[in-house]
Amino acid sequence: MADTLTVIDNRTGQQYELPIKDGTIRAMDLRQIRTDAGDFGLMSYDPAFLNTASCRSRITYIDGDKGILQYRGYPIEQLAEHSTYLETAYLLVFGELPTAAQYAEWERTINAHTIPHENIKRFLDGFQHDAHPMGILLATMGAFSTYYPDAKQIFDQASRRLQTIRLIAKAPSVAAYAYRHAAGRPYIYPDASLGFTGNFLRMLFMGTEATYRPDPVLERALDVLFILHADHEQNCSTAAMRAIGSSQSDPFSAFAGAAAALSGPLHGGANEAVLRMLQEIGTVDRIPAFIEQVKGGADRLMGFGHRVYKSYDPRAKIIKKTAYEVFEVTGRNPLLDVALELERIALEDDYFVSRRLYPNVDFYSGLIYQAMGFPVDMFPVLFAIPRTAGWIAQWEEMLLDPEQKIARPRQVYAGAAPRDFVPRERRG
Ligand code: ACO
């Protein structure tokens, strides 16, 4: 069996053999298919990249039909059970799990970079008290590019390493500052004696107590959520990170763009949208009317559906289990009943079944965040903090890939035919 695709162009009768590799043909191989010498050549048309592989990647594997997610070959279920977010971040960035010595050094280095430049506080003061923390995060992380001009040395491995550490270490600090800014509370400096996630909780929630110790169940739950959100191959924000990085801008600027992509309600903003939806539905008896609204096209069931997963999102399964552990400590979130009943109905309803719409990562995560005391607008920020590791790993892979160039799609022009300019006074 030959690994080729035979194409017959019925416009010319010409036949072409296109090589098939890894289940793909090269879009550039279509270019030879022309009607005559003046023809530009055939292109593929794929709005929203429904069926276009834009890169070869060794980082994350998803099988959307089987509900499989792996980072560097490790099943997400095993990482969620046995790993930590920092260890998973190391795995994503370096490709292998760290040894004990490598982990200790990684943790020490990340800890050493958690404190943002002191001027950042003044930068934050410029934001309104009710500024969305996602806007604060993306703007402030982007502003770091002006604090670290060395970040422009993107082809220097040592510089890339340093920016990687800075990004992963500073994201939770800036996120905590954004939260405290809105709350009108003083910023809390990081405490290296706590783990990555425990330290984050302290920077957020510490009050007047002399020492703050996070609840170990909540700390672990948040760490698991961070593991689950750390990467997800070529999603909208990662594609943005890669596309921006492909112009050779620095990684802080690319981060700002990726975080902007993440902030939308169809992507990382969905966890916030889910909670607002659950609050709006309010009680179980109002669910049938809401479902009818969704089926009529007036609404979307937020937290359901995925471009890649056409079965239960494996992350949603783990999050659902984590939710029950968290509620043991915080008390049951009353909106859980609304979520469970929505899921039950949706999984039986032909509208959702026929479209293969299942709960995604965002469906239950908001309930956990809310029970832990996070305001709703912090939810996308809690997504962005761990996704930093995935973005930076994907960014570096793109930079080192000899096949990559500046990302620049083609278009099918559908606008006006050439015409002559008409002076304003003569326009009808
Ligand atoms: N509620 C109701 N109907 C839906 C939903 C939903 N959540 N998602 C998809 N559909 C329907 C569409 O209306 C469409 O129906 P049609 O064929 O009758 O027109 C069909 O299912 C296919 O949907 P598309 O929009 O074509 O699917 P796409 O792959 O483009 O979108 C997306 C995926 C954006 C995730 C979508 O399912 C959605 O909007 N979900 C809700 C938002 C959400 O939860 N986003 C988080 C995704 S996970 C993440 O980013 C972390």
Side-chain angles (χ1 to χ4, degrees):
M1 189 176 70
D3 280 341
T4 60
L5 177 74
T6 303
V7 177
I8 297 171
D9 185 348
N10 292 321
R11 299 171 302 177
T12 59
Q14 280 269 7
Q15 181 169 317
Y16 304 84
E17 292 288 308
L18 309 184
I20 298 176
K21 193 169 174 230
D22 299 326
T24 66
I25 57 160
R26 291 211 167 232
M28 276 306 284
D29 284 346
L30 298 173
R31 196 64 85 68
Q32 62 185 305
I33 303 176
R34 305 165 177 212
T35 48
D36 55 55
D39 184 4
F40 180 77
L42 206 62
M43 293 192 293
S44 59
Y45 176 60
D46 189 13
F49 308 115
L50 291 177
N51 197 37
T52 294
S54 63
C55 62
R56 297 173 69 83
S57 182
R58 294 184 158 77
I59 301 173
T60 290
Y61 173 76
I62 301 176
D63 183 326
D65 286 326
K66 297 196 184 110
I68 292 172
L69 169 61
Q70 295 161 356
Y71 297 159
R72 303 280 190 187
Y74 293 102
I76 193 68
E77 294 80 4
Q78 291 183 24
L79 291 168
E81 191 169 348
H82 303 296
S83 189
T84 64
Y85 166 66
L86 260 200
E87 184 178 60
T88 300
Y90 184 103
L91 172 69
L92 288 168
V93 169
F94 296 101
E96 295 296 336
L97 285 167
T99 62
Q102 285 168 332
Y103 184 73
E105 176 59 14
W106 175 240
E107 190 172 34
R108 192 198 60 72
T109 315
I110 296 283
N111 271 333
H113 285 271
T114 45
I115 303 183
H117 191 289
E118 202 60 8
N119 279 354
I120 285 295
K121 290 185 188 167
R122 291 213 292 281
F123 186 81
L124 281 164
D125 283 345
F127 289 100
Q128 291 280 62
H129 68 93
D130 57 353
H132 198 290
M134 195 64 174
I136 297 183
L137 180 79
L138 72 89
T140 310
M141 295 297 280
F144 279 137
S145 85
T146 65
Y147 286 72
Y148 304 119
D150 57 312
K152 307 231 177 290
Q153 308 305 318
I154 56 169
F155 292 112
D156 178 85
Q157 197 203 20
S159 171
R160 283 200 306 274
R161 207 49 78 230
L162 180 57
Q163 314 321 326
T164 296
I165 289 160
R166 283 175 171 157
L167 276 159
I168 292 173
K170 292 193 200 306
S173 307
V174 172
Y177 278 21
Y179 168 77
R180 306 244 347 164
H181 173 78
R185 304 178 79 184
Y187 304 127
I188 303 284
Y189 289 110
D191 175 350
S193 72
L194 296 172
F196 182 88
T197 305
N199 176 49
F200 174 53
L201 286 169
R202 179 179 171 278
M203 284 192 288
L204 287 161
F205 296 130
M206 182 158 164
T208 52
E209 63 271 47
T211 47
Y212 175 93
R213 292 283 150 205
D215 182 287
V217 174
L218 302 188
E219 182 183 355
R220 177 63 194 157
L222 191 57
D223 207 55
V224 168
L225 284 163
F226 281 179
I227 293 170
L228 300 180
H229 286 86
D231 194 48
H232 213 230
E233 52 118 305
Q234 306 313 313
N235 55 84
C236 179
S237 56
T238 302
M241 182 87 187
R242 279 181 174 257
I244 297 168
S246 77
S247 76
Q248 303 187 354
S249 61
D250 69 83
F252 294 100
S253 303
F255 176 104
L262 187 71
S263 70
L266 297 190
H267 191 15
N271 51 17
E272 182 177 350
V274 169
L275 209 96
R276 295 197 194 283
M277 172 190 77
L278 294 176
Q279 281 169 335
E280 212 173 293
I281 297 173
T283 49
V284 168
D285 57 298
R286 297 182 57 188
I287 291 176
F290 178 74
I291 292 276
E292 285 316 306
Q293 227 168 283
V294 170
K295 286 160 64 172
D299 246 315
R300 282 213 158 187
L301 178 48
M302 300 311 284
F304 258 67
H306 199 275
R307 172 62 58 78
V308 181
Y309 292 119
K310 299 302 169 196
S311 69
Y312 214 101
D313 181 336
R315 301 168 299 174
K317 256 185 220 159
I318 302 169
I319 291 178
K320 197 172 169 183
K321 183 172 150 275
T322 308
Y324 285 103
E325 289 160 15
V326 167
F327 298 156
E328 286 285 312
V329 177
T330 61
R332 191 179 165 94
N333 187 327
L335 291 175
L336 177 67
D337 294 325
V338 179
L340 286 171
E341 181 61 6
L342 261 181
E343 180 187 343
R344 191 191 65 73
I345 295 180
L347 292 182
E348 285 174 2
D349 191 299
D350 188 55
Y351 175 93
F352 299 92
V353 174
S354 62
R355 289 170 177 77
R356 303 178 72 190
L357 301 171
Y358 293 87
N360 60 46
V361 68
D362 294 314
F363 193 64
Y364 285 104
S365 58
L367 291 173
I368 301 181
Y369 297 145
Q370 194 187 44
M372 290 173 78
F374 288 103
V376 176
D377 59 6
M378 275 296 283
F379 295 2
V381 171
L382 296 169
F383 193 150
I385 292 169
R387 185 53 62 87
T388 305
W391 287 334
I392 199 88
Q394 300 267 356
W395 167 78
E396 185 169 40
E397 187 179 68
M398 177 276 304
L399 277 182
L400 300 181
D401 181 345
E403 284 205 293
Q404 291 294 338
K405 290 170 182 281
I406 186 167
R408 205 303 183 186
R410 291 275 173 182
Q411 66 165 8
V412 175
Y413 178 68
R419 46 186 171 161
D420 290 324
F421 182 84
V422 181
R424 207 170 300 138
E425 58 279 9
R426 278 206 261 130
R427 287 176 216 154

